[in-house]
Amino acid sequence: MQTIHVDRATKRFGTLEVLKQVDFRMEQGEFAAIVGPSGCGKSTVLRMIAGLDHPTEGAVSANRQIIKEPHPSRVLIFQEHALYPWRTVEKNVSFGLELAGIPKRERKERVDALLEKVGLGGFESYYPHQLSGGMRQRASIARALAMDPEVLLLDEPFGALDAITKITMQNELLRLWEGSGKTVLLITHDIDEAVYLADTIHVMSPRPGQIVETIRSEVPRPRNRNGADFVRLREKIMTHLDLAK
Ligand SMILES: Nc1ncnc2c1ncn2[C@@H]1O[C@H](COP(=O)(O)OP(=O)(O)OP(=O)(O)O)[C@@H](O)[C@H]1O
Ligand SMILES: [Mg+2]
């Protein structure tokens, strides 16, 4: 179980102030999203929670312990998904399990079950270049899930997908998350995606990124993308992003 706390985190790269006093918490099992304009520091927030970067001021902690380095309980799926081109789908997904010393039989069982779940059953022996973009993305999600992380950090995971695959993947992600107790933090440019998936939505300002509003969603699940409360929440977020007419 992990409570993540981003505690008044400010981040500067040289003289460039990227994040300013970003402050929020995530409880175990929560599905949170961050929406905000390009360059406002969203990926930087995620990298800090993953332990790949550190705030200049303030702190980022898990269960009150400062996050100093990556830990297998917190897995980041990068904005540009990075599968190993020289490994098959199966070998990509089992990579972390190999490092963790999981025996071959158990690895194979877990990987097969996951590939089935993300709709890649039958593609085990394909190499990344033989897959479509959506399939590659599903493979990288399977690879992250293989580690059975407590905290899943997703950086624009569906950004490059076509509209139909995207909706399928969003539903798939919900199915994997519901009842799993996993904490998810999703970065997205897509306001509908945030409203469809998240319990909590943090809206960020342009750089230096600050959280201008944290919204607890009251849209009941399963969510109807055309429902009145859904549309209202979308509009509220657009107003906070200064996008409403
Ligand atoms: N390692 C780094 N060194 C210097 N500047 C960096 C570094 N990483 C990020 N930045 C800068 O920090 C700012 C925020 O970058 P970040 O990737 O967090 O934005 P983002 O909100 O994820 O943007 P996008 O929506 O386009 O992915 C950018 O101006 C970027 O140039
Ligand atoms: Mg980014």
Side-chain angles (χ1 to χ4, degrees):
M1 298 294 245
Q2 291 190 32
T3 301
I4 304 287
H5 190 190
V6 177
D7 183 8
R8 286 162 292 171
T10 292
K11 177 70 180 174
R12 282 184 288 270
F13 289 106
T15 55
L16 184 74
E17 190 173 41
V18 172
L19 295 171
K20 192 169 182 169
Q21 300 261 328
V22 170
D23 200 283
F24 66 92
R25 277 173 190 280
M26 285 196 302
E27 301 301 331
Q28 184 73 40
E30 180 178 347
F31 198 132
I34 297 181
V35 296
S38 180
C40 76
K42 303 181 297 297
S43 295
T44 305
V45 172
L46 224 55
R47 289 173 51 81
M48 293 193 308
I49 298 174
L52 297 168
D53 215 330
H54 303 93
T56 316
E57 288 163 24
V60 181
S61 57
N63 295 341
R64 296 167 189 238
Q65 301 254 352
I66 302 280
I67 296 173
K68 296 199 171 112
E69 54 190 16
H71 189 270
S73 64
R74 294 182 292 273
V75 172
L76 170 63
I77 300 188
F78 291 94
Q79 195 163 5
E80 318 292 339
H81 47 82
L83 295 170
Y84 298 118
W86 60 87
R87 287 187 150 229
T88 62
V89 166
E90 179 175 6
K91 291 274 183 193
N92 263 287
V93 175
S94 68
F95 182 69
L97 301 176
E98 285 172 38
L99 289 185
I102 310 281
K104 193 167 176 184
R105 262 233 345 252
E106 190 186 335
R107 255 177 9 225
K108 177 142 180 48
E109 273 171 23
R110 276 166 71 170
V111 170
D112 284 353
L114 266 172
L115 288 176
E116 208 54 56
K117 248 187 189 163
V118 300
L120 285 176
F123 291 92
E124 292 80 359
S125 57
Y126 279 56
Y127 287 87
H129 77 272
Q130 297 171 310
L131 303 175
S132 74
M135 292 162 87
R136 281 199 287 272
Q137 193 57 309
R138 283 185 266 155
S140 67
I141 289 172
R143 186 171 63 176
L145 289 172
M147 300 307 291
D148 199 21
E150 292 177 11
V151 181
L152 195 55
L153 304 164
L154 303 168
D155 196 349
E156 295 272 357
F158 311 136
L161 301 181
D162 68 275
I164 295 171
T165 310
K166 190 182 213 179
I167 288 177
T168 312
M169 288 302 294
Q170 289 168 351
N171 288 329
E172 205 59 53
L173 175 61
L174 271 186
R175 217 163 51 79
L176 292 166
W177 167 72
E178 274 168 341
S180 71
K182 291 188 196 304
T183 308
V184 179
L185 180 57
L186 168 85
I187 304 283
T188 181
H189 284 118
D190 183 337
I191 298 168
D192 275 49
E193 180 167 288
V195 176
Y196 187 62
L197 296 174
D199 298 322
T200 307
I201 300 165
H202 304 290
V203 182
M204 283 179 72
S205 69
R207 197 181 57 235
Q210 287 179 291
I211 294 185
V212 291
E213 187 75 25
T214 291
I215 299 166
R216 310 267 167 216
S217 173
E218 279 164 21
V219 185
R221 300 180 190 269
R223 294 181 175 159
N224 170 2
R225 294 171 195 264
N226 300 308
D229 41 5
F230 192 104
V231 174
R232 249 194 318 275
L233 184 49
R234 175 202 296 149
E235 196 176 357
K236 184 170 173 186
I237 294 169
M238 289 182 81
T239 306
H240 286 300
L241 287 167
D242 270 336
L243 297 174
K245 284 177 266 157

